[in-house]
Amino acid sequence: MKTHLQSLITQALQRLRQDGVLAGIELPSIPLERARDRMHGDYASTIALMLAKAARRKPRELAEHIRSALPASEQIAKVDIAGPGFINFFLAPTAYQAVVGEILQRGDDFGRSTGGGGRRVQVEFVSANPTGPLHVGHGRGAAFGATVANLLEAAGYNVHREYYVNDAGRQMNILAASLWLRYLEHCGEKFRFPSNGYQGKYLREIAVRFYAEHGGAYAVSAQRIFQDLPLDEIRDAAGNVVTPGDKEAHIDALVERARTLLGDHRYRFLFELGLNTILDDIRDDLKEFGVVYDEWYSERTLAESGAVNKTLNRLRDAGYVYEQEGALWFRSSAFGDEKDRVVERENGQTTYFASDIAYHLEKFERGFDGVIDVWGADHHGYVPRVKAALQALGENPDRLDVLLVQFAILYRNGERVPMSTRSGEFVTLRELRGEVGNDAARFFYIMRKSEQHLDFDLDLAKSQSKDNPVYYIQYAHARVCSVLRQLCEKGLSRDESRGQAHLARLTESHEENLLVALSRYPEAVETAALNHEPHQLAHYLRELANAFHTYYNEHRVLVDDDALRDARLNLSLATRQVIKNGLTLLGVSAPEVM
RNA sequence: GCCCCGAUAGCUCAGAUGGAUAGAGCGCACCCCUCCUAAGGGUGAGGCCACAGGUUCGAAUCCUGUUCGGGGCACCA
């Protein structure tokens, strides 16, 4: 409809140009938007306001010219000039009634488009380190990333969903060492757990299972382990330093000690056990949350394939790497970053950043038309250096789009739920899902703009009332299903084609509002997709549900008049279909009974 | 100190490429089921769009500055 109107306007402008009214004026793309107010018709264009100056005419006068030059169309009931020079289009009732047939015919495909032209887009999201279970912060990234991916797919893109697994590097070694220490505690050894070790109780559980299978085969006395290690920094409960020390040096030395005392074989075994147990848990967690990936991309294979070294060499050849204080630096400041960054530490280990450069280069080389990263907002300082590296490697950094997601803050009984990663005292995604359910979690996570802090009201998410937007929308779906059951119980049947033949009977203002809302769905999906803003779809669905509830409250669907009843049933079924399609994109179920 | 993000109704938030009288939900005050699920609907009150300049036919939206929040500035990931 939009393109139809735009082409009518273009034809009118071309005619005016020939007539000399717009002689020699460059024609812009035609602005056309949904009228906010029904008084202003269905669509409005500001074209006359835009061209008024160049045409040296008053906007309203120009608008009149355009109106009279418009070709006739059956779709349009009337065209008004209003305000300073808006051209308002009022659609013929048949034009928006037609959407019912389109929805019923296309079914689950309604709202999907080919606008993306099958261009390949990669969406990388969550990518939490496999050092512990996902917490509620990761959950938001998961819901957001998964929905952005769904939306892009619906908009006609070929989407590749990917999780980058940080299974290499220092943090994983610290995890392996932490697991070993928990195991030793279980064996009865007494020592102080390192302050930089992973404190979470999940490691104890893995350690207990490990002990059950292997007994004391990995045991070493605490005394041998901690002998001559650099001192750890110890703090009291209030966070004050009790014993000064270097916790980084302490944990790095502890990792080395673990390697030598256990030997390579046994160390690897523990390392793999910790990694795989946690990664499996993350996989299950996400799967249960309705988040699926095409690929789990391993950082380790990236390093082992030599890609990291190759990338560093390329940077060096390009002249952007130098040595200083024993470390290798990338000259990111040459590309707008605040300062240069280390890619290889003094001790010879490449940094996480080095892997990330190689990973992003590899993404680009895989030939995606667009690459999207979903990151926690605390990583925003990281964006310039990754883009700098890509630029240094001769790639166009604009092909990478980094979407930042702010943290979610949980509220229970109006009080903030305390969380701190440091003490390992965080609410896991699994706990949240268990408490409020997948549907509410998925919806609440994407309800707000991603760069906005999210206040997650647990009580509201659990409540089964109109206050809860998830239930409100799902209930609209269930209500239509209920009407169909009632139809059955009354011994009536429905005739879809009879309904289609009598769509003109849908003349109530509530019905018009509902029809207009339904016809907006494809646009809602498209703008939500292109702007990477799932919340727009959530808001749309709430409005659609509201239009339906209002209608339902005012008029009966199951009337005695067969033609009217079938028309209304078709309208209701179309509404049900659109709600289902929208909820599916959000990863929320559309229940038939509530 | 430098950088990023935010500031819109009492609360939580929408307001795509600048457009008409700035919108929802909650909360508050009223009202609506002999009728398909009241798990619903309606009416009303409630606003110096943080502040000050600028850009133009027109600014919540764009630009500059100020104030107040949040985050980031590692040889951590």
Side-chain angles (χ1 to χ4, degrees), chain A residues 134-171:
Chain A
L134 298 177
H135 56 69
V136 292
H138 298 127
R140 190 172 185 197
F144 177 76
T147 308
V148 167
N150 290 347
L151 285 166
L152 286 171
E153 210 159 60
Y157 291 86
N158 184 347
V159 179
H160 185 83
R161 299 162 173 84
E162 188 157 314
Y163 188 117
Y164 180 55
V165 184
N166 292 115
D167 52 6
R170 183 164 172 258
Q171 295 304 319

Side-chain angles (χ1 to χ4, degrees), chain A residues 334-349:
Chain A
F335 302 95
D337 195 11
E338 293 172 343
K339 49 170 292 204
D340 296 342
R341 311 289 173 176
V342 171
V343 286
E344 188 178 308
R345 295 167 67 189
E346 204 177 354
N347 64 11
Q349 284 184 354

